[in-house]
Structure formats: C-alpha cells, structure tokens
Amino acid sequence: MASVSWRRALFFLLVVNLSVLTTACSSHYGNAIEEFCLAKFKLDMEVLDQRQWCSWEDTVESYGELTNCTFLVALKMNCFWPNRMVDEFFIRVHRHYFHDCSMSGRLLHDPPNRILGPFIVVPILVTLLMTALVVWRSKRSEGIV
Amino acid sequence: MAIVGHALSIVSLLISLAIFFYFRSLSCQRITLHKNLFCSYVLNSAFTIVNLITVVNNPKVVQRNPIGCKVLHFFHMYMLGCNYFWMLCEGIYLHTLIVVAVFAEEQHLHWYYLLGWGFPLVPASIHAVARKKYFDDNCWMSVETHLLYVVHGPIMAALLVNLFFLLNIVRVLVTKLRDTHRAESNMYMKAVRATLILVPLLGIQFVIFPWRPENRLAGEIYDYIMHILMHYQGLLVATIFCFFNGEVQGALKRQWMQYKAQWGQRRREHCSMRSTSYTATSITEVPAFMYHHDCNSEHLNGKQTEDSELVALKTGETYA
C-alpha cells in the first residue's frame, strides 16, 4: 500500500511539474519586464542629468534594481534566468542609455588640480622662455649685446 | 559654414602666396616671415576642413574611434600653435628691427623658423599625452575639458607677449623718434599698424569666448562675430598683410601696366607687320638691390622715402 501511495505521490509530483513547465516562460515575460522594471528605471534615469548616464557611481543603484527586478519577474513567471529575452532587453537598454560611454566604464573627468596645474603652467613657462631665447639670439646676431 | 570660411581663407592665402613668390622684387625678410605665416594658415585651414568632414560630421567614425582621428587631432593642435607662434615671430622681428637693433640689415632667421615650426610640437605633444592618460574620449572631440588649456595657454601667452612687443614698438616710435624723424616714425607706424590690428583680432576670440551674452539678439551677433573671427582668420590675415599692402598693390599695378603695354605693342606690331623686338620696359626687371633696399629700410604700407633722410636716420641714435 505504501509503495502504491509513493508511486501515486511521485506521479502526482510529475504531473504537477509537467503542468508547471507548460506554463513556463512565454513572451509575456518580455512585456512584464518592460512594464514593471523598465518604467522605474526610466524614471530614475530621467532624474539624472543626461551627462551623468555614463557615470557608474550614479547609475549603479538603479541598474542593480533593474537587474533584480528582471530576476524576480523571471522567478514569478517560472522562467530560467538569465534568458534570451532578458538579454535582448538589456541590449536595448544599453543601446539607449549607455551607447557612448567610454570603455573604462567611468565618466570622463579632468584630473585633479595638482596634476592639471603643472600640465598647463609648464608649457606656458616654456613658451615664455623660448620667446626670451629668440629675442636674445636675434639681438646678439647684430653684434649688439 | 565653417568649411566655407576656411575654404575662402585657403583660396585668398594661396593667391597671396602666389603674389609673393611671383614678384621677386618684393622679397625681403619680412615677406619671408609672411610667407611662412601664410603657409601655416593654409595648412591649419586644410586640417580643419579635413577634421570637420571626416570626423566631426561622421558619428560612425567617432564610435569606431580609430587611432587616425586622434593623430589628426594632434596635427590640428600643432597647426593651431604654428599659426599663433608665427604671428609672434612677426612681432619679435619688428621689435628687434625697430627697438633693439635699429634698422639692422639682416637678421638670422633660423631662430624664427625654430619658434614658428618647431616649438608648437611641445604643447601639442603634452596635450596628446595628457589627453591619452586622463581624458581619452572618442577621437578627443570633447571640448569640455580643461586639458585644452595645455594648448590654448601657450597660445594666449604668445598673443600677450606679442601685444606687449607691439605696444613697446609704438611707444618707442611715438616718443623717441617723433621729435627728430617725424616722417620715418610715421612710416614705421604704418608697418606696425597691420600687425597691431591683427594681433587683437586673432586673440580676442580667446578673451570673449567664455562670455556669451544671454540676450537672444546679442547672442546671435556674438555667434556671427566669433564665427568670422575663428573661421575667416586666414582671409583677414591675407587681406591685411597682402592685399592692403602698398608695395604689393604697386607691384600689381606695374605688372598690369606692363601687360597692357605689351598687348598694345603686340597689336601695333601685328597691324604694321613689323618685327621689332622692342617691348615696354619690364619694370619688374629693375635691379633687385633697389627694391631690396626699400624693403629692408621700410617694411611698410606706405610710400618711398628720400635716401638722405635714411642716411641721417642710420647715423642717428641707436636704441639698445
């Protein structure tokens, strides 16, 4: 009797699993992540200035939330995560928001003043020195010192 | 629109260069410096046009970010430096001629060539290194970085030094030469005038660039003026240094009279069937020393002077 109930339980589990698989990932997943996750991400990015979109420090939180959101929706809808739909979704997001960011992933900014200063001042000083040199040499070529 | 300005500049500069090379009688040291200045302007405009067409208007190239577009940017910065350093050479030359070693005949131009063609490599290279290390955006197109001052700083310094030299020349001409040699100081004033007009014109774009007016009409006027100042510079330089130059105009007029006389003569020969080989005197074949003498002693936008006055001037006081 126990073996029969075992077998029945196993059969029931199998049926349940099969039925779960048949309600697995459909194209509704794509719509779901667009509706739930992308909308929030869009709002977050709009708050930021467009020039800051490439700044990882400013966008890492919203990006993480977006990723988490797609994962949770995938769980809810019994999708395997990651999957092709979520890949295409992220490609679209990158193409829209991050297409012209530099390779380092950081927003380009000037070096600190203690580096920028010498870079600017030294050529100016060299210019003035060179000018003085030319004036002095052209004076000397006349024999007038 | 910028391309139009630069194309016009190239055309007018090439015409001026042709004039300077064709009329050998005009040639002297100051004209040699003009020729080098015009060459640097032609190259600068050419690089700007190439840059605008292939990189700025072409987002695909910017995305691909080939090494060539950065090399192009480097040469563009170098040519920009050459422009302004040749203007500085002109100022130093006039200063040495008038204030330091008055009316000396020949200076050695090697140092001027070094300052004009060689030295701008220094700021351009430093800018390339700094840009590569700290602000390596695609094709180095961004203008929102203070690293551009690595190139623009020396340029502004050169313009300020130039302005100082020219004002010094004016001071010397006005105070020291005025009492004894009024005519000559007027002559030299005309020579300096051309350079004195150009230096602020070239430099003012750097001064007023940060201050765009908020008012819409004033803002548009500002845009037009900046556009003209930045993209028509070659045309301005060619016009002021060549087309408005009295000697050049005189040489062109003489050449034109000579051609007219030759055509008239040829027609008369043709009509009368004579085979005489007499043509109107080729005035440009006058011995070089005469014009050389004029150019060395005057370098001006003005007229001829008497020899006696010049001798008096040479034996006059010298200014160390």
Side-chain angles (χ1 to χ4, degrees):
Chain A
M1 243 20 232
S3 62
V4 171
S5 59
W6 252 120
R7 236 179 280 151
R8 219 181 255 165
L10 209 58
F11 178 71
F12 179 70
L13 215 58
L14 209 62
V15 166
V16 164
N17 272 338
L18 275 173
S19 62
V20 159
L21 279 175
T22 52
T23 59
C25 237
S26 57
S27 61
H28 293 306
Y29 177 66
N31 296 335
I33 48 176
E34 296 253 343
E35 235 181 82
F36 296 129
C37 309
L38 189 60
K40 178 158 195 320
F41 185 69
K42 260 194 200 156
L43 284 175
D44 285 338
M45 293 298 264
E46 258 160 44
V47 165
L48 285 179
D49 194 17
Q50 195 157 356
R51 279 177 298 200
Q52 289 174 291
W53 283 356
C54 278
S55 161
W56 185 234
E57 293 93 9
D58 295 321
T59 56
V60 65
E61 268 189 48
S62 349
Y63 194 80
E65 277 179 26
L66 179 68
T67 313
N68 257 346
C69 174
T70 59
F71 176 65
L72 288 172
V73 172
L75 272 188
K76 279 265 162 64
M77 293 181 70
N78 295 308
C79 287
F80 189 75
W81 192 93
N83 58 56
R84 211 189 72 181
M85 271 186 277
V86 97
D87 277 346
E88 283 169 7
F89 171 74
F90 272 107
I91 287 179
R92 282 200 304 272
V93 166
H94 277 250
R95 208 175 270 159
H96 186 253
Y97 289 101
F98 306 124
H99 62 276
D100 60 356
C101 295
S102 73
M103 291 301 226
S104 69
R106 301 256 167 268
L107 184 63
L108 293 168
H109 58 91
D110 285 337
N113 277 345
R114 59 180 171 82
I115 298 181
L116 190 64
F119 261 118
I120 295 181
V121 166
V122 166
I124 294 182
L125 287 178
V126 174
T127 304
L128 294 173
L129 274 170
M130 189 70 191
T131 309
L133 182 70
V134 173
V135 170
W136 178 66
R137 288 302 306 181
S138 48
K139 210 161 78 159
R140 268 180 66 95
S141 70
E142 307 321 308
I144 299 171
V145 181
Chain B
M1 274 312 292
I3 296 181
V4 170
H6 282 285
L8 273 176
S9 294
I10 290 186
V11 165
S12 62
L13 287 163
L14 287 175
I15 295 177
S16 316
L17 274 172
I19 293 177
F20 282 143
F21 276 112
Y22 180 66
F23 292 107
R24 299 243 166 246
S25 56
L26 286 174
S27 98
C28 60
Q29 284 194 324
R30 186 159 180 250
I31 300 290
T32 307
L33 292 184
H34 285 348
K35 286 184 209 165
N36 278 288
L37 178 71
F38 290 4
C39 275
S40 83
Y41 265 102
V42 166
L43 287 170
N44 185 27
S45 290
F47 270 106
T48 308
I49 290 179
V50 168
N51 207 9
L52 282 173
I53 292 179
T54 60
V55 178
V56 175
N57 289 346
N58 215 341
K60 290 201 202 89
V61 172
V62 177
Q63 265 204 329
R64 254 190 323 127
N65 195 17
I67 195 85
C69 73
K70 293 186 182 169
V71 171
L72 188 65
H73 188 89
F74 165 76
F75 277 113
H76 189 221
M77 289 287 119
Y78 167 67
M79 278 301 149
L80 194 70
C82 278
N83 269 357
Y84 290 95
F85 279 94
W86 270 111
M87 280 307 298
L88 178 64
C89 287
E90 299 251 358
I92 296 178
Y93 178 77
L94 281 175
H95 185 260
T96 308
L97 191 71
I98 295 174
V99 175
V100 172
V102 184
F103 318 131
E105 289 295 317
E106 292 282 310
Q107 295 180 36
H108 294 308
L109 291 183
H110 315 298
W111 289 97
Y112 294 108
Y113 282 114
L114 186 68
L115 184 65
W117 290 118
F119 181 72
L121 280 173
V122 172
S125 318
I126 296 182
H127 170 260
V129 164
R131 205 69 195 252
K132 183 89 183 96
K133 233 179 135 197
Y134 295 110
F135 204 99
D136 197 9
D137 60 322
N138 285 5
C139 281
W140 292 344
M141 264 182 58
S142 171
V143 293
E144 309 221 341
T145 168
H146 289 295
L147 284 176
L148 280 176
Y149 283 115
V150 173
V151 171
H152 289 185
I155 288 178
M156 286 198 267
L159 282 167
L160 279 175
V161 167
N162 212 3
L163 199 62
F164 162 73
F165 277 153
L166 291 171
L167 291 176
N168 199 24
I169 292 172
V170 171
R171 177 188 68 91
V172 164
L173 286 176
V174 166
T175 60
K176 295 197 179 173
L177 290 181
R178 179 181 51 187
D179 300 325
T180 46
H181 310 285
R182 189 175 300 258
E184 288 73 30
S185 69
N186 277 341
M187 262 162 32
Y188 277 96
M189 198 66 99
K190 284 185 188 150
V192 171
R193 181 183 58 186
T195 320
L196 201 57
I197 291 174
L198 270 179
V199 169
L201 268 182
L202 298 179
I204 203 151
Q205 66 178 44
F206 291 103
V207 174
I208 70 175
F209 191 68
W211 296 325
R212 191 173 187 278
E214 296 294 327
N215 180 11
R216 214 186 112 204
L217 181 64
E220 282 201 22
I221 295 176
Y222 169 92
D223 280 337
Y224 272 121
I225 292 179
M226 287 301 287
H227 184 85
I228 289 177
L229 283 179
M230 277 166 57
H231 300 299
Y232 287 79
Q233 269 183 20
L235 183 61
L236 281 173
V237 167
T239 310
I240 293 180
F241 270 149
C242 179
F243 300 137
F244 284 175
N245 184 324
E247 280 182 3
V248 169
Q249 286 174 347
L252 284 170
K253 272 191 204 129
R254 279 191 291 273
Q255 186 75 0
W256 176 240
M257 302 296 277
Q258 181 196 346
Y259 277 142
K260 266 176 49 176
Q262 274 182 348
W263 289 332
Q265 186 64 30
R266 231 171 262 144
R267 240 195 340 197
R268 276 200 295 280
E269 281 179 8
H270 181 77
C271 290
S272 66
M273 308 265 278
R274 269 182 304 170
S275 61
T276 176
S277 60
Y278 169 76
T279 52
T281 314
S282 169
I283 301 174
T284 52
E285 297 307 318
V286 166
F289 77 84
M290 265 187 70
Y291 285 100
H292 190 66
H293 175 72
D294 284 347
C295 191
N296 262 348
S297 59
E298 295 174 8
H299 308 271
L300 57 79
N301 290 349
K303 312 165 199 57
Q304 313 276 346
T305 189
E306 299 296 319
D307 278 337
S308 54
E309 282 181 279
L310 210 57
V311 168
L313 206 53
K314 278 191 180 149
T315 55
E317 59 267 52
T318 54
Y319 300 94

